[in-house]
Amino acid sequence: MPESDSWKSTKQHLIFNNNTEPETLDVHMMTGSPELRLAISLFEGLTSLDPGNLIPRPGVAEDWKISDDRTVYTFRLRENALWSDGSGLTASDFVKSWERALSPATGGAYANLLFCIRGAEAYFKGQETDFTTVGVRAVGTHELEVSLKSPCSYFLELTAFPTFYPVRVDMVEKHGVKWMQPEQLVVNGAFKLSEWAPRQHVILVKNEHYWDADFVKLKKATALPLDDLNTAYQLFLKKEVHWLTGIPQARVEEIRRHPDYFVTPFFGTYFYRFNTTRKPFTDSRVRRALCLATDRREITHHILKSGQLPISTLCPPISGYEPVGGLTYDRDAARKLLADAGYGEGKLRFPPIEILYNTSEAHKTIAEAIAQQWKRNLGITVSARNVEWKIFLNDTKDLLYQVCRSSWIGDYGDPSTFFEIFTGDDGNNRTGWANAKYDELADLAAKEPVQAKRLEIFAMMERILVEEDCPIMPIYRYVNEGMLAENVYGWYENIRDVHSLKYIWLEGE
Amino acid sequence: MKRNVKHKSPTGLALARMQKHKLGMLGLYLVTIMSIAVVLIPYIVSVSPDETRPWIGAQRPFYSHPDCSVDNAFTVGEAAETTERASASDELVYHVQQQQRVSYRVTVRRGKIHTIQSGAVSTNRLDLTTPGLEAYELMADGSRGRALPGVVILKGEEPPEGLFPQGERVLILDLSSTADSSRVTVGLTDGTVLFITEEHSGSENPAAAIDSITVRGEAVTSVVGLSSGKRRELTVRHWFGTDELGRDLFVRVFYGGRISLLVGIVATLVSLVIGLAYGAVAGYAGGRIDRVMMGIVDILYALPFLFLVILLMVTFGRNIVMLFVALGAVQWLTMARIVRGQVLSLKEMEFVEAARIGGESVFSIVFRQLVPHTLGPVIVYTTLTVPVIIMGESFLAFIGLQVQYHGASLDSWGALINRGVQSLGQNGENIWLLFFPSLAMVLTLFGLNSLGDGLRDCFDPKRSSS
Amino acid sequence: MLTLLKRLLYVPVVILLLVTATFFLIRLAPGGPFSAERDLPEEVEKALNAKFRLDQPMLVQYGAMLKDAVRGDFGPSMKHRERTVRQIIAQHLPPSMILGALAIILALWIGITVGTVSALKANSALDYFGMGVTVLGISLPAFVFGPLLQLLFAMRLDWLPVAGYGAPLQLVLPALTLSLPFAARFARLMRAGMLEVLSEDFIRTARSKGLSERIVVLRHAFRGALIPVVSFLGPAIAAITTGSLVVEKIFNIPGLGREFVESALNRDYTLVMGTTIVYGSFIVICNMLSDLSYALLDPRVRR
């Protein structure tokens, strides 16, 4: 194999694959990781996450004070924080930006992250039309006061999330939808947009007006939108790309023998949902039996092979939370439970069931393997069926399925990001499952100021979710995997897969 | 039909000519063989196309492994749970090697140990000096390579001497504690377990009788079966190798052919029915009706049909029948033109006139008298449509709108080939996953095309090209 | 000629038919443009629906869409909201066209060469080899060739870039991949056409006049032998342009084929309409041009 000795690009120009074409660069509208990956380098919030341990560090805010009841945050903004056009960044920029983020017309899917701010939810829902009722206020040009609805232990982490980033509302008004084209996009992050050729590349260059510009070593970064990961991997082998954020799954055995391959745990869980409104899944014994009849190790070890962790709990360990409970593989217990539920020889015949998944080789392989396990272990008829993405979304939302493939990736470093979705009225529940006790615990956790007690409440919720009632069946914890050239420095492994280009540089060039 | 008996019909003449057409006959043989194989596969081979053995993974052609299930469960007095063939024996002996294996990935970056990982979990220190621990390099095919020196690996330090081969920066190693191997013997009558004994190697205790045991397929190194006095090793051989779930590729290729051919034939029939009816009506009616009907066909010809198929698949994606209709609906236009042309020239002939005078209804004249006479060109075109549809289906499989064969996780040839392309490695790893489905598809489509060409030459001797 | 002119009148009818079918099919499809893995807040969904007129009755939407279509303006894409459909088409149509044109030229060149050589050396080893290879081209899906060519020419031999768009060399592999199935078909048609023509009387006459084989083939036989190739040209161009989406994905070409497929999968209603109309018109025109050239080449069809 002809391999050149060094990566072709020179002069602090990093090239990476972003896996797909970013949908938007509007921080208030974005939801996917390809967009977030660019946003954290283009913009900066009041705080920014430490690249290694993800603890919130000063960003645009140099310093902050928290009131004794932990509901009022006063941020002091840096005097030298500038926009990329050289104008000063002030507290009122944040007020205007958050007002925009909270307007339904903006179309942000993440607007509800702002609901921890006092009055934000009422304003968003149109119950209140005056933005001054929302708990955010510019005290001076460089002081921002934020009042929360109730204490929120992860608020400083939220302020590092794109929905909380400042944007130039005046530019948005002036240019309309075109405000994020390279010619007019004004940013406040370490990099600015230089070129955006759809489906070809997005090019970022160093922003000289950034307050910490002296720290930034990289001069230029190119993000490629290759969704054919085989092609991307070949580009890496030819040393034309420094960093791959994904690998062709079917070739993992070969790829993990490459020294530049990396794999780290990720803050996301792969699981199956049961439609609890449909027979036989109305019976929690049936759901539990299926959980018990699933050998997750077979899937992670022999099928995925990237070091994914087989799990039977939903929330990954985070902020002191340790997962508890869960039903692990136990064939005999599974059979017994199914018999208890009234199915088996001489009793009711178990109806044929179907696993629904959205089209993808990995989902397909896993669904086929799980169907086989259930067939083998419980003697029931199981089939797997794929539908394309939009049909899948439609069918899971309208509960037109029996068992379906799902996943959830945490938005911020707190277990509530995982547990809240299974409360009875949450739009992301999609199982038809509602448990009064669980909902009550969710409310308690939201109000509880003492972290240790919150963690206890979360543990109780987890037990209900994955051990007692089982509307879902956790399967494995995601990993981040990809390729990283040896000359890339300042790239830190972390569980959320956030890598601001601010810290990255290339050595030996 | 009596007419055909008296003198040789054009169809009969053509078939006689066909027998001399070498390429056409080759195509006919190929198509026949493939169709028979595909239809009979469930009756010939007892291996199930969706039985998974994930611990085997993708293995090269002719790979063989002990004949056992994932879990082989035996309880005295109950039916044995293992593979069909194994449970037919009188006595089974499983050699079990308990594998407490953990694999680690150690990498060097910039001259220092950079990661020591088991799966995605990192550690800072790996001690290979512990007594009773064996460390080997794990080779790409899953086998053990050289034994590794007893050293301590520390993250951030320089790699210990002799651990990495010259110039290498990554090492996959396999740790196992001194293996615990055992022998499980199961006595059976008619599939029911009579007795079970377990014997541990290295232990002084004799074989102990036990009530029940589950032998994990993963740990079995060999299975010996005794049936009607003969003792022999039970293995399963995979002629075409296995896919990443350890499923037999030979069986999957032929089951896949069932889907591909089914889609091809059904969709072609759809196009045949529509095209025949439409063309026959237009041709027989003639005049203005004919002009309007054929005008519509001309219009439809100009539509980008691939787009419509994609749209139809998106709209009715939950229903397999729609795929047949969508693919068939794309192909009926040519059929309609051919039939119409034939009918147009036939309808002035005597036998039609006779039928008309005889008082036969229009419907009867069109479908009893005219349509059968268009058979030649229709057969030709039908034969040539099937491969087009099979290709169309594989294209849909590529963009993720593949056909679901209800109840079983079967892939059409197109989907198998797509999977094969995805798993093809830099040095040709897993090439068999691409090769065998491709071979099946090439043979079949070549067969169909040659057969179609041959038939065309024979039905239309003027156009003969060979 | 008159029939051809008459067919010109069909064009608007065909497009209208296509637009109507597309409009209703895509709206019938389950799921909407704004459904996502993460549930959208109700208020936001409402605001978006209002913005894209999705809250109005279907027929009103249809009428508005037709009006837009006539003006050639479909508004913004529903997925990439900051880009208009017109912009997207303007950006992604040229790569598809360039790639398609190159592929057609390559396919014709390879196909005609291989077909002619095979016909002239009929039943020789060369002929069998050439035709054997074309069997692969006809019987294997195009998505097999892309990765194989990448592996061979970009990775093993390191002659050509793996993927991308911009440099001329980056077009070689995608164009080749796209052209292979059609080259194979052209080669077979060319071979058959050539064999047929060579057996005809006027060729025999030409030969008997003592003209060199070269002149016989190039001057006399070629034109007649091209007829089947040309008759397949229209469908081939249509198939190449719509088929390019496979190649666009494998080689990361910013072409319109992918935009169409993805807009259909994303239920990006506005973009679906835009891409369908562009492709539809293009294919209609291709088919007409093909008919026209067919008529010019074959005097028997000239009416």
Side-chain angles (χ1 to χ4, degrees), chain B residues 79-264:
Chain B
E81 288 182 45
T82 178
T83 64
E84 213 174 294
R85 193 159 68 119
S87 52
S89 306
D90 298 329
E91 193 179 291
L92 279 171
V93 182
Y94 289 91
H95 295 268
V96 185
Q97 180 106 37
Q98 285 307 336
Q99 289 166 326
Q100 301 282 343
R101 286 163 69 167
V102 195
S103 81
Y104 279 88
R105 181 173 178 272
V106 183
T107 61
V108 173
R109 184 169 278 240
R110 299 154 200 157
K112 301 271 175 13
I113 297 283
H114 183 251
T115 48
I116 308 168
Q117 284 183 305
S118 175
V121 182
S122 293
T123 52
N124 291 329
R125 185 173 190 277
L126 185 61
D127 194 346
L128 303 183
T129 58
T130 320
L133 203 71
E134 296 172 37
Y136 290 90
E137 186 174 353
L138 185 65
M139 307 311 285
D141 61 354
S143 66
R144 276 179 170 182
R146 68 196 165 97
L148 297 174
V151 288
V152 178
I153 308 171
L154 287 169
K155 193 169 168 173
E157 302 281 316
E158 278 183 19
E161 196 73 20
L163 189 62
F164 285 86
Q166 194 61 42
E168 292 287 310
R169 284 172 46 222
V170 61
L171 174 72
I172 312 278
L173 61 85
D174 194 26
L175 280 188
S176 54
S177 46
T178 315
D180 170 22
S181 63
S182 61
R183 227 168 89 119
V184 177
T185 310
V186 183
L188 297 158
T189 15
D190 300 332
T192 306
V193 180
L194 280 181
F195 65 87
I196 311 166
T197 61
E198 190 181 15
E199 187 180 4
H200 285 271
S201 68
S203 151
E204 273 124 53
N205 302 337
I210 45 177
D211 285 340
S212 86
I213 192 167
T214 302
V215 179
R216 294 284 281 169
E218 212 174 323
V220 173
T221 54
S222 78
V223 188
V224 175
L226 175 78
S227 51
S228 44
K230 265 194 210 144
R231 193 170 285 278
R232 66 198 179 105
E233 188 147 337
L234 301 180
T235 54
V236 184
R237 188 171 289 281
H238 302 285
W239 294 348
F240 288 4
T242 56
D243 70 2
E244 70 275 38
L245 283 175
R247 295 178 294 201
D248 186 274
L249 191 63
F250 178 82
V251 179
R252 283 183 74 73
V253 164
F254 284 99
Y255 271 87
R258 299 186 123 202
I259 300 179
S260 285
L261 285 174
L262 183 76
V263 171

Side-chain angles (χ1 to χ4, degrees), chain A residues 23 199 231 238 388 428, chain C residues 39 79 158 250 259 267:
Chain A
E23 253 174 65
R199 294 211 193 274
T231 302
K238 286 195 91 179
E388 49 106 355
N428 290 311
Chain C
D39 206 41
K79 175 144 172 117
D158 201 17
I250 296 169
E259 294 296 331
R267 311 287 188 273

Side-chain angles (χ1 to χ4, degrees), chain A residues 359 361 386, chain B residues 259-260 263-264 304-314 323 326-327 330-331 386-403 411-419 421-422 441 445, chain C residues 138-145 177-178 181-182 238-250 256-262 264-265 279 283:
Chain A
T359 309
E361 279 306 308
N386 80 308
Chain B
I259 300 179
S260 285
V263 171
F305 266 109
L306 192 73
F307 280 37
L308 281 187
V309 170
I310 291 173
L311 284 174
L312 284 170
M313 285 299 287
V314 160
L323 179 88
L327 286 170
V330 176
Q331 297 292 335
V386 178
V388 174
I389 303 232
I390 292 179
M391 285 289 264
E393 192 276 332
S394 71
F395 175 77
L396 289 176
F398 175 80
I399 56 174
L401 297 170
Q402 73 214 57
V403 185
D411 290 319
S412 68
W413 283 335
L416 284 174
I417 292 174
N418 192 20
R419 258 189 179 184
V421 171
Q422 298 299 322
M441 186 149 162
L445 295 205
Chain C
I138 290 174
S139 324
L140 278 178
F143 58 76
V144 175
F145 303 121
T177 308
L178 191 52
F182 300 93
I240 278 187
T241 38
T242 45
S244 69
L245 55 100
V246 172
V247 173
E248 286 169 19
K249 185 171 184 298
I250 296 169
L256 200 59
R258 264 168 96 194
E259 294 296 331
F260 169 75
V261 174
E262 286 191 17
L265 294 179
Y279 266 121
I283 287 166

